[in-house]
Amino acid sequence: MTDTRGTSFLSDVVAIVGRSHVLTDPDAMAGHLTDWTGRWTGAADAVIRPCTTDEVAAVVAACAAHDVAICVQGGNTGLVGGSVPPIEHAGRRPLVVLSTVRMTDIDEVDTRGRCVGVQAGATIEQIDSRAAEHGLRFPVDLASRDSATAGGVVATNAGGVRMIRHGNTRRQVLGIEAVRADGQVLRRWTSLVKDNVGYDIPGLLAGSEGTLAIVTRVLFRLVAPPVSTIVTVAAVRHVEDCFALIDAMTERGLAVEAAEIMTDAGVELVHEHGVRRPVAAHAPFYTLVEVSGTGDVEAVVIDVLDEADVVDAVLEPGPARDLWAARERHTETIARSSTTPVVKLDVSVPIRALPEALVELAAIADLVDHPCRPILFGHVGDGNIHVNLLDVPEPRAEELTGRVFGIVAANGGSISAEHGIGRAKVAWTHLGRSEVDLATMRAIKAALDPAGRLNPGVLFG
Amino acid sequence: MTDTRGTSFLSDVVAIVGRSHVLTDPDAMAGHLTDWTGRWTGAADAVIRPCTTDEVAAVVAACAAHDVAICVQGGNTGLVGGSVPPIEHAGRRPLVVLSTVRMTDIDEVDTRGRCVGVQAGATIEQIDSRAAEHGLRFPVDLASRDSATAGGVVATNAGGVRMIRHGNTRRQVLGIEAVRADGQVLRRWTSLVKDNVGYDIPGLLAGSEGTLAIVTRVLFRLVAPPVSTIVTVAAVRHVEDCFALIDAMTERGLAVEAAEIMTDAGVELVHEHGVRRPVAAHAPFYTLVEVSGTGDVEAVVIDVLDEADVVDAVLEPGPARDLWAARERHTETIARSSTTPVVKLDVSVPIRALPEALVELAAIADLVDHPCRPILFGHVGDGNIHVNLLDVPEPRAEELTGRVFGIVAANGGSISAEHGIGRAKVAWTHLGRSEVDLATMRAIKAALDPAGRLNPGVLFG
């Protein structure tokens, strides 16, 4: 890693961030080279941990000068291999992991403008706690909130359980600070609700998975939490019954804060691991709906449930953590219940196609000649299904992934609802994007990162 | 307009769209060359009116083959000169206006997925009426709804009175069909709430003012209208009292459907033109707030008003067109009341800066040595002010525009909240965007329209 001018790249970056923040020892780097599922692992020449935008800019400039590629890493909680580097191979240019682990500053909350500026490495939990001190809430919530970072949720345009109410992460980004591949700092930072001056660069960076620029700071919108909420779990025969329930709530003027779906297989599995069944009766599906409103919300919900076609239902004032537990414990329980690494696929279909798609996905084991236990759950209001395939022999994971994506594409759906493409889904992007669309994306990539040094192998093959 | 191969550009496009849809007669073209304010006018070699995406693609390919520039035009209701061509000058390449006036098809409404596909030339009123047949609503509403088109509101990322509730136009775009500068058709068309496969190209085209591609069809999200609304107009002493009122409504769990602000000068002017004053008492500001909720919304609003610091207030169940009239008749009344073309500037500031910015803008006449009557109104919940300067001598319009933008920039605001940059504000983009930001935009422009044939002079100088 010494260029033609004879200066050493590593000594350059040590001069920028300090020796203790340039890791080259294999043991010290190990945690940065494998994702939490254990499915994605890679190699890097160093892990660099800057602590300010200026330091990131200087590191990126040094990478540009020495033609070093960069893998950007936040909380490393992604599920598609986007936050770990590729495996080393002959001819590969040098690569470093740029970790935002030290970039955890959170600014004062602007209570009037309802926004807060944060560094890329602040976690969702940290941001939400700071907002809560002022009676506000960070609008994005997801199970990995303790580790997932601002930069990571922006880079992947994360969804989560509050998306039906507040929209995706892209929608929460009021301002952004990012370092371009050439080391220049792009800053668009105003707490303006409306600002139509040219292209939506913050929106373009959101969901770009670190391939266009490195997000270093974000100005996030905050929201007022609902005054009072009611959480209900209903056992239903058909997916359409979930829709009817959500529609009835909406028609009564209630705001839907979350709308989740689970299957009997999932609820039973979680129950076997010690979580109380939310309702005693069994049914093919269970929907958890959290609503808010004015006046006697509970009375309205009881009215709606009385008229709804449900097998059984319970309700409780929010936060109703025990009702939520049946849904939230799915991921952890599934991980503990499979004899092999779980094949985890995050897909979406048009709302109208959801009933049929769930039937087809639940029957996936019939399509293959080896054991495969599907557990499906997700955000029913968004048409978003988390497909979890347990007990799949490792060599068959790819085949099953293709089967799932085939069902999704045939139903007009997306192979990535909220987790992104990363390295895991690159081979299947043609299922959801036309050649012209992909060529347009590549043209934008080439315009902003002509040497292809930012997150090589992510999003594009 | 004959290229080196000897074929005529005009005969090529006549072969595509038919002779009657290629206008070259000056009288026939006139309406397409001047905007409705009369402030912006230009020249073109022809006006072409295709009726399908394929026809647009063929016309754009012909333009590419003959190096002809294109000015895209929807309802021509813009306020910044973005929808009319530049003035002819020596050395300019040939230019045509591509009008979407014939592209008015609206697909069947997808009631389950709550969306509808429309051609670029369908008006907001037409789309909303179609949605209303199914009990739904188009989430964007603005005064020019009878003329403004789908393509136009997407290209400018229009805001409007419902933005506080449903977000800007960008947020309503689920899918898009657009013709690139090279004539290729980019289509991303799925009624998916969540679809994280690569860059947000629809979001990038929204607000790009026709400089990156020509939007031909849009798949729009629709929303359920509120069950019942209450509209209140309150006379208040301070802008902060408007905020307090909105906050109190929100804290009681009401959804704010609109939150507007007017001044005494504006309400008086509209009153002089025959509109009933909403409240008898005079005060510096008037706020119109429309809210929805569950249960007895009126009782909650009365409670809030009782506790609020207001001079006077009235309320009425929605749609309350007579209360809205005081706000909606501003634009027309202002146009009729000025002795010179009104200087209309659409700006925004951070919410916390709004009180001070309004004071400074209202006092703008003190900064100049000629008469100038400011009427300010806008979307208070979004920090968005429509600045109207009456009786400004034409030669002083530019100076006053600069003064207004100076005040806005000093308050951390935007020189374009929801109208775009067009030709009118190109000289001031540096007030809201850094050099790196502008360079990034230019890089994206060069990547998608390397020859600069789409809307030359718009957005970039």
Side-chain angles (χ1 to χ4, degrees):
Chain A
M1 301 186 79
T2 301
D3 80 355
T4 50
R5 292 170 304 177
T7 66
S8 155
F9 169 74
L10 286 179
S11 66
D12 283 3
V13 293
V14 162
I16 299 163
V17 300
R19 187 163 306 279
S20 58
H21 299 300
V22 179
L23 315 180
T24 51
D25 176 73
D27 288 344
M29 292 204 291
H32 294 276
L33 303 181
T34 298
D35 79 337
W36 74 269
T37 67
R39 194 165 165 208
W40 297 96
T41 192
D45 298 286
V47 173
I48 304 174
R49 307 186 302 198
C51 81
T52 64
T53 298
D54 285 347
E55 284 191 6
V56 173
V59 168
V60 172
C63 288
H66 295 265
D67 195 28
V68 173
I70 302 167
C71 165
V72 192
Q73 189 174 85
N76 200 10
T77 60
L79 290 161
V80 290
S83 58
V84 290
I87 296 168
E88 199 160 17
H89 59 82
R92 202 196 71 178
R93 57 154 72 102
L95 181 146
V96 295
V97 171
L98 190 153
S99 166
T100 60
V101 68
R102 294 173 63 217
M103 302 176 68
T104 57
D105 279 0
I106 300 178
D107 295 347
E108 283 301 299
V109 171
D110 175 352
T111 53
R112 180 71 273 159
R114 284 194 181 158
C115 58
V116 64
V118 305
Q119 273 193 306
T123 68
I124 303 317
E125 166 61 26
Q126 287 164 347
I127 302 168
D128 190 52
S129 295
R130 183 66 60 90
E133 289 169 14
H134 301 274
L136 296 170
R137 168 185 278 185
F138 183 61
V140 175
D141 193 18
L142 59 180
S144 55
R145 64 182 73 88
D146 292 334
S147 312
T149 61
V153 296
V154 169
T156 56
N157 185 29
V161 294
R162 302 286 171 204
M163 177 155 161
I164 193 169
R165 176 71 163 122
H166 300 296
N168 56 24
T169 302
R170 181 178 289 122
R171 185 160 142 61
Q172 320 311 330
V173 178
L174 288 176
I176 211 156
E177 194 174 81
V179 175
R180 294 180 9 154
D182 58 9
Q184 291 197 81
V185 178
L186 190 157
R187 189 178 154 91
R188 195 182 287 188
W189 198 269
T190 53
S191 59
L192 297 170
V193 181
K194 290 177 167 179
D195 187 17
N196 265 355
V197 180
Y199 307 150
D200 183 20
I201 305 288
L204 180 65
L205 295 186
S208 68
E209 304 189 29
T211 62
L212 296 179
I214 300 173
V215 174
T216 53
R217 296 184 74 224
V218 189
L219 183 63
F220 279 123
R221 182 173 87 105
L222 300 175
V223 295
V227 184
S228 70
T229 60
I230 294 290
V231 178
T232 179
V233 174
V236 297
R237 288 173 201 89
H238 310 285
V239 180
E240 288 87 343
D241 300 332
C242 305
F243 298 151
L245 200 57
I246 296 167
D247 286 351
M249 303 277 198
T250 308
E251 277 155 24
R252 298 292 291 267
L254 295 170
V256 177
E257 303 279 338
E260 304 288 305
I261 190 168
M262 300 165 275
T263 64
D264 200 44
V267 170
E268 261 313 285
L269 188 67
V270 171
H271 177 57
E272 286 164 18
H273 285 76
V275 175
R276 186 167 66 85
R277 286 184 58 87
V279 290
H282 283 261
F285 299 103
Y286 303 81
T287 184
L288 180 155
V289 184
E290 181 169 327
V291 293
S292 66
T294 39
D296 192 345
V297 175
E298 182 164 337
V300 180
V301 173
I302 290 171
D303 260 14
V304 169
L305 287 173
D306 278 349
E307 289 167 21
D309 192 9
V310 300
V311 177
D312 196 3
V314 289
L315 62 85
E316 197 175 291
R321 299 208 189 283
D322 54 330
L323 289 183
W324 267 103
R327 162 67 182 82
E328 293 217 310
R329 294 281 292 279
H330 264 65
T331 301
E332 172 196 341
T333 308
I334 286 165
R336 283 199 280 153
S337 304
S338 180
T339 55
T340 58
V342 181
V343 176
K344 299 180 79 68
L345 301 168
D346 158 57
V347 300
S348 70
V349 294
I351 307 286
R352 61 165 62 245
L354 190 59
E356 177 61 23
L358 278 169
V359 169
E360 292 179 34
L361 289 169
I364 194 148
D366 302 342
L367 298 178
V368 290
D369 62 353
H370 47 83
C372 159
R373 198 152 50 110
I375 300 283
L376 312 173
F377 63 98
H379 314 295
V380 66
D382 303 325
N384 183 184
I385 315 163
H386 295 312
V387 178
N388 293 268
L389 305 178
L390 289 69
D391 305 334
V392 176
E394 187 71 26
R396 315 304 290 265
E398 179 114 345
E399 178 200 349
L400 270 159
T401 300
R403 293 275 189 181
V404 168
F405 289 164
I407 292 171
V408 168
N411 279 284
S414 173
I415 62 166
S416 176
E418 58 179 12
H419 293 171
I421 296 299
R423 301 177 197 292
K425 298 181 177 181
V426 169
W428 288 281
T429 51
H430 65 278
L431 287 178
R433 297 290 179 257
S434 70
E435 259 316 305
V436 177
D437 197 338
L438 291 168
T440 303
M441 289 190 217
R442 279 191 295 263
I444 293 170
K445 167 72 174 175
L448 300 191
D449 180 22
R453 276 185 295 97
L454 298 181
N455 274 11
V458 169
L459 206 47
F460 304 101
Chain B
M1 303 184 77
T2 302
D3 80 354
T4 50
R5 291 169 304 177
T7 65
S8 153
F9 169 73
L10 287 178
S11 67
D12 283 3
V13 292
V14 163
I16 296 163
V17 299
R19 187 162 304 279
S20 58
H21 299 300
V22 179
L23 315 180
T24 52
D25 176 73
D27 288 344
M29 290 203 294
H32 294 277
L33 303 181
T34 298
D35 79 338
W36 75 269
T37 68
R39 194 165 164 211
W40 297 96
T41 192
D45 298 286
V47 173
I48 303 174
R49 307 187 304 199
C51 80
T52 64
T53 298
D54 285 348
E55 284 191 7
V56 173
V59 168
V60 173
C63 289
H66 294 266
D67 195 27
V68 174
I70 303 167
C71 164
V72 192
Q73 189 174 85
N76 199 12
T77 60
L79 289 161
V80 289
S83 58
V84 291
I87 296 170
E88 199 160 17
H89 59 86
R92 201 197 73 179
R93 55 152 75 105
L95 180 146
V96 294
V97 170
L98 191 152
S99 166
T100 60
V101 68
R102 294 171 64 217
M103 302 176 67
T104 57
D105 280 359
I106 300 178
D107 297 345
E108 285 300 301
V109 170
D110 175 352
T111 52
R112 181 72 273 160
R114 285 193 180 159
C115 58
V116 65
V118 306
Q119 273 192 305
T123 68
I124 301 318
E125 164 61 26
Q126 288 164 348
I127 302 168
D128 191 52
S129 295
R130 185 65 60 87
E133 290 169 15
H134 301 274
L136 296 170
R137 169 184 279 185
F138 183 60
V140 176
D141 193 17
L142 60 181
S144 57
R145 65 181 73 89
D146 292 333
S147 312
T149 61
V153 295
V154 170
T156 57
N157 186 29
V161 293
R162 303 285 172 205
M163 178 155 159
I164 194 170
R165 176 70 165 124
H166 301 298
N168 56 22
T169 302
R170 181 178 288 123
R171 182 158 142 65
Q172 319 311 329
V173 177
L174 288 176
I176 211 157
E177 194 173 82
V179 176
R180 296 181 7 157
D182 58 9
Q184 291 197 83
V185 178
L186 190 157
R187 190 177 155 89
R188 195 182 288 190
W189 198 269
T190 52
S191 58
L192 298 170
V193 181
K194 290 178 168 180
D195 187 16
N196 264 357
V197 180
Y199 307 150
D200 182 22
I201 304 289
L204 180 65
L205 295 186
S208 68
E209 305 192 30
T211 62
L212 296 179
I214 300 173
V215 173
T216 54
R217 296 184 74 224
V218 188
L219 183 63
F220 278 124
R221 180 172 90 104
L222 300 175
V223 295
V227 184
S228 69
T229 60
I230 294 291
V231 179
T232 181
V233 174
V236 297
R237 286 173 201 88
H238 310 285
V239 180
E240 287 86 344
D241 300 332
C242 305
F243 298 151
L245 201 55
I246 296 167
D247 286 350
M249 304 276 197
T250 308
E251 276 157 23
R252 297 292 292 264
L254 296 171
V256 177
E257 304 278 338
E260 304 288 304
I261 190 167
M262 299 165 278
T263 64
D264 201 43
V267 170
E268 260 316 282
L269 187 69
V270 170
H271 177 55
E272 286 164 18
H273 284 77
V275 175
R276 186 167 67 82
R277 287 184 59 87
V279 291
H282 284 262
F285 299 102
Y286 303 82
T287 183
L288 181 155
V289 184
E290 182 169 327
V291 293
S292 67
T294 39
D296 191 346
V297 175
E298 185 165 335
V300 179
V301 172
I302 290 172
D303 261 15
V304 170
L305 288 173
D306 280 349
E307 289 168 21
D309 191 6
V310 300
V311 176
D312 195 2
V314 289
L315 61 86
E316 198 175 291
R321 298 208 188 282
D322 55 329
L323 288 184
W324 267 103
R327 163 67 181 82
E328 293 219 310
R329 294 280 292 280
H330 264 66
T331 301
E332 173 195 340
T333 308
I334 285 166
R336 284 198 282 152
S337 305
S338 179
T339 55
T340 58
V342 181
V343 176
K344 299 180 78 67
L345 300 169
D346 158 57
V347 300
S348 69
V349 294
I351 307 287
R352 62 163 63 244
L354 191 60
E356 177 60 23
L358 279 168
V359 168
E360 293 179 32
L361 290 168
I364 194 149
D366 304 341
L367 298 179
V368 290
D369 62 352
H370 47 82
C372 159
R373 196 151 51 108
I375 301 284
L376 313 172
F377 62 97
H379 314 294
V380 66
D382 303 325
N384 183 186
I385 315 163
H386 296 310
V387 178
N388 293 266
L389 305 178
L390 289 69
D391 306 334
V392 177
E394 187 69 26
R396 316 303 290 265
E398 178 114 346
E399 178 200 348
L400 270 158
T401 299
R403 294 275 190 180
V404 168
F405 290 164
I407 292 171
V408 168
N411 279 285
S414 172
I415 62 165
S416 176
E418 56 179 13
H419 294 171
I421 296 299
R423 301 178 196 293
K425 299 182 177 179
V426 168
W428 289 282
T429 51
H430 65 278
L431 288 178
R433 296 289 177 259
S434 69
E435 260 315 304
V436 176
D437 197 338
L438 291 168
T440 303
M441 290 191 216
R442 281 192 293 266
I444 292 170
K445 167 72 173 176
L448 301 191
D449 179 21
R453 277 186 295 94
L454 298 181
N455 275 10
V458 169
L459 204 50
F460 304 101

